[in-house]
Amino acid sequence: MHDGSGRIVVQGLTKQFGQVTAVQNLSFTVEPGSVTGFLGPNGAGKTTTLRMLLGLVKPTSGTATINGQPFHRLGNPARVVGAVLEAQGFHPNRSARNHLRVYAAAMGVPDERAEQVLQLVGLDAAADRKAGGFSMGMKQRLALATALLGDPQVLVLDEPANGLDPEGIAWLRSFLQSFARSGRTVLVSSHLLAEIEQTVDQVVIISRGQTMYYGQLDDLRRQQQTRVLVRPADPHALVKALQEDGITEVESTPDGQLAVSGADSMRIADIALAAGVAVYGMQEEQLDLEQLFFRLTSGQFTAAQHNPYGQPPGGGWGPPAGGAPQQAYQAPTYQQPGYPQQNPQHPQQGTGWGGNA
Amino acid sequence: MGALIKAELRKILSTKMWWGLMIPAALIALGFTWLGAAFGTLDALKSELGASLPTVLPTFAFGLNFASIFPAVYGATALTGEIRHRTITTTYLTGSSRGAVLVAKVVAYAVVGVAYGLACAVFGTIGAAAGAHGTDFPGLGSWLAMCGVGVLVMVLWTLLGVGLGALVGSQIGAVLTLLLYTLLVERVLATVLGHQHLDKVPPYLPNAAGSNATTELSLRLFFDEMPGAVRSHANFQQLKDLLTLADTPPWWGSALVFAAYALVLGLAGWVVARERDIT
Ligand SMILES: Nc1ncnc2c1ncn2[C@@H]1O[C@H](COP(=O)(O)OP(=O)(O)OP(=O)(O)O)[C@@H](O)[C@H]1O
Ligand SMILES: [Mg+2]
């Protein structure tokens, strides 16, 4: 039987769907007592990974365990782990209450538990309506109610905020935090860092099925760095001069600028002057978390580089209960003075969340 | 295990399909026994033979055979319906193993099969009584034997459907396979085999085996209940030939063959379903 630790361990997980490698050699650990974010762009392999963890998809190689055991050896698994994998898993003609009673019976919990979780997610008024007629957000709530039915120690949620209204999102956020604070485990996926930034303590960031970052969100925040975008007359000469001065972290951007890390603009200007390279423009760029996330995961899709809906990054998650922290987060990031001009290839700068790499 | 069976029964009872498909099955049973009873008790026939003919017994068997497609289709939705509505995810997440879930389904759907059998028995009895205007009902033993074999084949057809569904995975695929095979493919196959001088084979094909379990028994009982004057072994063989049942095993043999098909499909379905990725 399982060890009751509440720990999720993923080791060397790989899944091949025919020619498609959905997940490649993925490893991470999720500890109890904290909310772990599982991040990656669309198609990165989040859902596939979570389904392998839950025994629904058979890994090509590698292992995933909950409480030290693979899913199929958990005994009565729903008492250990609850999962929200999709908001569509309902018989359209079965009422919410009957849906919950079916699974209450399967996991051997009393029927009153169905009433409790209905109330918890705020669906008690709709309990006798058919799930097929539910809105997306109501389905998400019912999916969450199903996951909580067995009072599990571990919660696994795949994009649970989809379709939830701001109130629902704020509620979910505080629910997950208090759930984790009671010493239990939460693993929640999203394709938007901003969406779960307020909620998670730890993140696993994947792209194209591979781990790009795995650790404390605070450590990632500390990695936030300044870089300077320079538009020199002769990039090669400037790169050479910078290297001679010991500045080696230089990348060229798609629009022909140089992105220089590890030096401020004054020092770069001095070096350029000494080397006799004309500089037509220079901007300091502060990478925030969202940009870091994008840099970690960029390149999967070029199409992801602009957001056709022009929605601000905080929009996916809606205003939190307290409002203030997220406002503070959005403002400095996307209204940096002069920033939009820097990347003329992406006219949607300042609105799309992904255009900053 | 009991918990999972209870969950499966709740799933079944909380939607309408189980009785939606039971209605046509029961009505078919009723129609066939009505006609059989009415024919066997025709005045002209009675005055010719001096007694009524228990034709209601074989027509009950025919009715059961037609009606059995409904529980089979219902069985085929056991797993495929969950795949279609994506409830399979939660079902697998709340079961100790996929094998346990499948066994629970088999038990719950066997109960449904019994219910289909009983419904057909009740409605078949009503049809038999009404068709003969309340007279000349066959012997109680014979009738109960027919009802019993009816329940048995209904259960087997339901479970065959469950196994086929688990194997095929797609609801449309499983239902179409079932309908096409029973209504078309096996007939063609039997004809082809007949032309190859393999006439001994067709009675062992699934649909024939399932049907013959009821039909062969009904002929035996029919023969037992016939007026003494026309009852002879030669007549029995003639009757079997007439219904192209000359090479069939006795009813219980056909039932065993059919049960073997259901078992093989169930095992194959289990092997496939436990490996199937739920994405
Ligand atoms: N059943 C399947 N057959 C073939 N390929 C699949 C299957 N399921 C997933 N994939 C592929 O595996 C990759 C990872 O998909 P996955 O659904 O795990 O991504 P994701 O990170 O959850 O994306 P999203 O944010 O869009 O939900 C994709 O390229 C996808 O097309
Ligand atoms: Mg996904």
Side-chain angles (χ1 to χ4, degrees):
Chain A
M1 281 302 265
H2 61 90
D3 60 14
S5 63
R7 190 176 290 113
I8 296 172
V9 180
V10 169
Q11 266 173 329
L13 214 51
T14 298
K15 179 64 185 184
Q16 199 89 35
F17 287 113
Q19 293 298 305
V20 180
T21 305
V23 173
Q24 200 177 340
N25 198 22
L26 206 61
S27 301
F28 60 87
T29 310
V30 178
E31 298 292 341
S34 68
V35 181
T36 299
F38 189 40
L39 288 159
N42 293 134
K46 302 181 294 294
T47 301
T48 307
T49 304
L50 297 183
R51 285 185 174 268
M52 285 194 278
L53 173 64
L54 297 167
L56 294 164
V57 169
K58 202 182 165 86
T60 307
S61 63
T63 58
T65 59
I66 299 170
N67 285 5
Q69 293 291 344
F71 185 86
H72 67 267
R73 295 194 30 202
L74 287 177
N76 188 353
R79 305 302 299 271
V80 179
V81 52
V84 175
L85 286 182
E86 57 203 337
Q88 303 301 335
F90 313 109
H91 192 291
N93 294 326
R94 193 175 286 136
S95 71
R97 178 174 277 123
N98 280 336
H99 168 85
L100 291 169
R101 285 191 176 191
V102 163
Y103 293 110
M107 48 184 98
V109 299
D111 288 349
E112 296 89 77
R113 186 73 194 140
E115 308 304 320
Q116 286 170 10
V117 292
L118 276 169
Q119 265 185 356
L120 188 64
V121 302
L123 275 182
D124 33 349
D128 289 315
R129 280 171 53 189
K130 291 173 177 181
F134 277 11
S135 71
M136 182 69 182
M138 291 168 82
K139 286 179 179 168
Q140 278 290 12
R141 287 164 193 258
L142 183 53
L144 186 65
T146 315
L148 295 173
L149 208 47
D151 194 21
Q153 183 185 9
V154 178
L155 258 188
V156 174
L157 307 109
D158 195 11
E159 316 232 1
N162 279 352
L164 283 189
D165 53 22
E167 197 194 347
I169 286 166
W171 174 83
L172 179 65
R173 181 182 286 169
S174 60
F175 176 82
L176 293 183
Q177 279 170 335
S178 64
F179 188 91
R181 237 177 276 125
S182 69
R184 292 185 274 187
T185 313
V186 179
L187 178 61
V188 54
S189 88
S190 175
H191 56 272
L192 291 172
L193 176 57
E195 188 178 75
I196 56 172
E197 192 190 345
Q198 311 280 320
T199 319
V200 304
D201 315 299
Q202 198 190 217
V203 285
V204 180
I205 298 179
I206 66 166
S207 176
R208 277 171 289 185
Q210 290 171 291
T211 318
M212 307 308 286
Y213 178 83
Y214 156 46
Q216 294 299 311
L217 191 58
D218 285 337
D219 293 340
L220 188 64
R221 279 201 187 95
R222 273 194 281 279
Q223 282 188 19
Q224 292 178 36
Q225 35 177 288
T226 315
R227 59 178 197 171
V228 183
L229 291 170
V230 193
R231 188 182 294 282
D234 182 348
H236 292 289
L238 183 61
V239 169
K240 194 159 169 279
L242 287 168
Q243 277 171 346
E244 279 167 3
D245 225 74
I247 301 165
T248 50
E249 278 185 70
V250 185
E251 296 164 37
S252 56
T253 64
D255 56 333
Q257 302 191 84
L258 293 180
V260 185
S261 309
D264 61 13
S265 50
M266 203 188 292
R267 185 165 164 216
I268 295 167
D270 286 343
I271 294 168
L273 182 64
V277 179
V279 171
Y280 302 140
M282 197 147 51
Q283 293 286 346
E284 282 200 6
E285 182 193 52
Q286 173 84 43
L287 280 178
D288 80 322
L289 265 184
E290 195 69 48
Q291 288 163 319
L292 255 178
F293 170 55
F294 186 74
R295 278 181 74 190
L296 286 169
T297 60
S298 66
Q300 174 165 311
F301 297 122
T302 40
Q305 295 212 343
H306 82 104
N307 176 348
Y309 306 107
Q311 202 185 17
W317 189 240
Q326 202 163 28
Q327 299 295 320
Y329 154 75
Q330 280 180 30
T333 311
Y334 289 94
Q335 275 105 57
Q336 277 183 60
Y339 188 86
Q341 287 89 332
Q342 285 183 357
N343 219 339
Q345 284 177 337
H346 302 301
Q348 298 220 7
Q349 277 297 342
T351 52
W353 63 272
N356 305 320
Chain B
M1 198 69 236
L4 290 179
I5 294 168
K6 187 173 168 190
E8 288 303 327
L9 288 172
R10 284 186 170 185
K11 273 179 207 166
I12 291 165
L13 294 175
S14 59
T15 54
K16 296 174 186 153
M17 192 157 61
W18 70 275
W19 59 260
L21 288 173
M22 193 181 281
I23 290 171
L27 289 181
I28 287 172
L30 182 137
F32 272 82
T33 52
W34 191 307
L35 288 176
F39 176 80
T41 54
L42 280 176
D43 287 340
L45 200 77
K46 273 204 220 173
S47 57
E48 177 81 15
L49 294 174
S52 65
L53 266 185
T55 43
V56 67
L57 289 166
T59 63
F60 189 21
F62 301 153
L64 287 169
N65 296 345
F66 277 105
S68 60
I69 194 69
F70 291 95
V73 165
Y74 188 63
T77 66
L79 196 76
T80 61
E82 292 226 49
I83 292 176
R84 175 163 166 234
H85 296 303
R86 313 198 56 75
T87 52
I88 190 72
T89 295
T90 312
T91 295
Y92 281 165
L93 289 180
T94 53
S96 49
S97 71
R98 292 191 186 189
V101 168
L102 284 180
V103 171
K105 281 194 188 293
V106 164
V107 174
Y109 277 75
V111 173
V112 173
V114 170
Y116 272 81
L118 291 178
C120 288
V122 169
F123 278 76
T125 307
I126 293 170
H133 304 292
T135 63
D136 297 301
F137 202 82
L140 187 66
S142 299
W143 194 251
L144 286 181
M146 281 311 296
C147 292
V149 79
V151 171
L152 177 69
V153 294
M154 289 293 177
V155 170
L156 291 176
W157 274 107
T158 314
L159 297 185
L160 183 115
V162 174
L164 181 72
L167 180 64
V168 174
S170 133
Q171 183 164 308
I172 300 272
V175 172
L176 275 184
T177 305
L178 204 53
L179 292 178
L180 279 178
Y181 181 80
T182 50
L183 299 179
L184 188 71
V185 174
E186 188 170 307
R187 279 155 213 238
V188 173
L189 206 60
T191 311
V192 170
L193 287 170
H195 284 300
Q196 305 295 316
H197 304 288
L198 292 166
D199 315 77
K200 300 256 184 275
V201 179
Y204 295 92
L205 294 173
N207 192 31
S211 303
N212 292 347
T214 58
T215 314
E216 206 272 344
L217 178 65
S218 76
L219 289 186
R220 282 171 187 272
L221 298 172
F222 175 73
F223 183 71
D224 287 346
E225 301 247 339
M226 264 202 302
V230 278
R231 189 159 56 184
S232 74
H233 186 70
N235 277 354
F236 182 53
Q237 281 307 325
Q238 255 174 13
L239 203 63
K240 282 184 99 177
D241 284 343
L242 196 70
L243 292 164
T244 64
L245 292 174
D247 297 315
T248 55
W251 71 272
W252 52 269
S254 290
L256 278 177
V257 169
F258 187 61
Y261 278 111
L263 184 68
V264 167
L265 271 178
L267 290 175
W270 174 60
V271 168
V272 171
R274 63 200 278 243
E275 297 293 319
R276 186 177 283 126
D277 281 344
I278 307 299
T279 58

